[in-house]
Amino acid sequence: MRKIFIQEPDSEIWEKWIRDCQEETKKLIEIIAEGKKPIISNLYKRKEIKQIYFASKDAPFYGRCAYCETPIADTQSIDIEHFRPKAGIKDENGNVVNLKDSQGFETNIPHHGYYWLAYDWRNLLPSCEKCNRPKSTIFPVIGNYAQSVGEEVNERPLLINPISNLDEDNPENHLAVDSQGVMYSLNGSARGEMCLKIFKLNERDQLAQERRTQQRSTQLLIIELQNAFKDLGNPKNSEKQAYKTLINCCQKLTDIFEGKHSYTMASVCVLRENGFSIEWFQKKCEIFQNLLSKLDG
């Protein structure tokens, strides 16, 4: 799981979809107000939106599951998952969550789910089947559940939405990956523990293996970077080639921080353990490019 930086698309297709979603959301709210059962359509996963936004191999999701970061082979295999369930809620133990009355007492009426967020793009994430199926309508929180529009801002969810822009929701504050590719809760984070449990992030052998593979690739890039620095100080080697190698390494390592490679968190943990940051690579890349341009000039 990685923090995913979202820039809302600027296109006519997207804007039309947003308008349609807003209209359908308004209808859902009216239906609930009338005491009727809401019917949620497939509008939230409209084909062209799914292809250009959720399933694209480009940013923001790079064709990967937002939770386990596994590449998803094709568009048809991608589930569009509701972070906050659209219809009905269960707690972390699989028990149905019921509504509470105006006095705060639990009723026998099942929670409707976050129907008002059913078409909200900020509540939608691409997910693989192995993450989506066990999660389903499970959504544990600390304290009370939101029951109507807007109340969700006061919730304290135990799962992490990786596209949230809140620092408290940054997965790096709750999860990390050890040298064996095993993901663990950072500093005993309850939210980290819950993500591990619900998405089964350590219960699939191939996940740890893939994380280890990415870590080894990152370590090799670090060695390549270190060797390029040594070459730069060796009069027997080409200064121009050393700068080109340094630039290439810095760009590749910047790409890791930006999430362009699978299993980002595993690689980022390696980089941070070695004292690197995205800002360091970006600054060095700029410096080396300027020095190279002077040599070319």
Side-chain angles (χ1 to χ4, degrees), residues 44-45 50 65 67 76-82 86 90 127-138 197-200 204:
Y44 66 88
K45 54 180 178 181
K50 183 177 180 180
C65 174
Y67 296 121
Q76 297 301 318
S77 302
I78 295 179
D79 292 331
I80 307 304
E81 203 273 320
H82 289 78
K86 63 183 183 296
K90 291 181 180 179
S127 174
C128 69
E129 182 179 358
K130 291 182 179 179
C131 283
N132 194 18
R133 292 297 177 267
K135 177 180 181 289
S136 186
T137 60
I138 292 177
K197 173 184 175 181
I198 300 301
F199 299 119
K200 303 183 184 303
R204 289 174 259 166

Side-chain angles (χ1 to χ4, degrees), residues 184-239:
Y184 62 93
S185 172
L186 192 61
N187 299 320
S189 166
R191 299 184 71 186
E193 291 286 358
M194 191 60 68
C195 286
L196 293 173
K197 173 184 175 181
I198 300 301
F199 299 119
K200 303 183 184 303
L201 296 177
N202 282 327
E203 295 179 33
R204 289 174 259 166
D205 292 338
Q206 80 278 9
L207 283 180
Q209 181 178 344
E210 293 292 350
R211 291 176 195 139
R212 286 197 301 273
T213 298
Q214 289 300 316
Q215 287 177 325
R216 285 195 291 270
S217 296
T218 302
Q219 288 163 344
L220 289 174
L221 273 174
I222 292 173
I223 292 171
E224 185 179 352
L225 179 73
Q226 292 169 337
N227 288 336
F229 271 114
K230 292 177 182 177
D231 289 343
L232 189 60
N234 188 338
K236 295 181 180 180
N237 295 318
S238 166
E239 187 177 9

Side-chain angles (χ1 to χ4, degrees), residues 63-107:
R64 302 200 301 272
C65 174
Y67 296 121
C68 71
E69 293 196 77
T70 298
I72 304 175
D74 58 82
T75 304
Q76 297 301 318
S77 302
I78 295 179
D79 292 331
I80 307 304
E81 203 273 320
H82 289 78
F83 177 67
R84 284 181 164 87
K86 63 183 183 296
I89 306 172
K90 291 181 180 179
D91 64 20
E92 62 267 33
N93 298 313
N95 300 313
V96 173
V97 173
N98 292 323
L99 292 170
K100 290 187 177 181
D101 61 23
S102 59
Q103 302 300 314
F105 295 106
E106 184 174 330
T107 69

Side-chain angles (χ1 to χ4, degrees), residues 23-36 38 115:
E23 185 62 31
E24 287 302 308
T25 299
K26 182 180 177 182
K27 291 178 182 178
L28 283 177
I29 293 172
E30 291 172 351
I31 288 171
I32 287 290
E34 294 171 0
K36 300 177 182 178
Y115 58 89

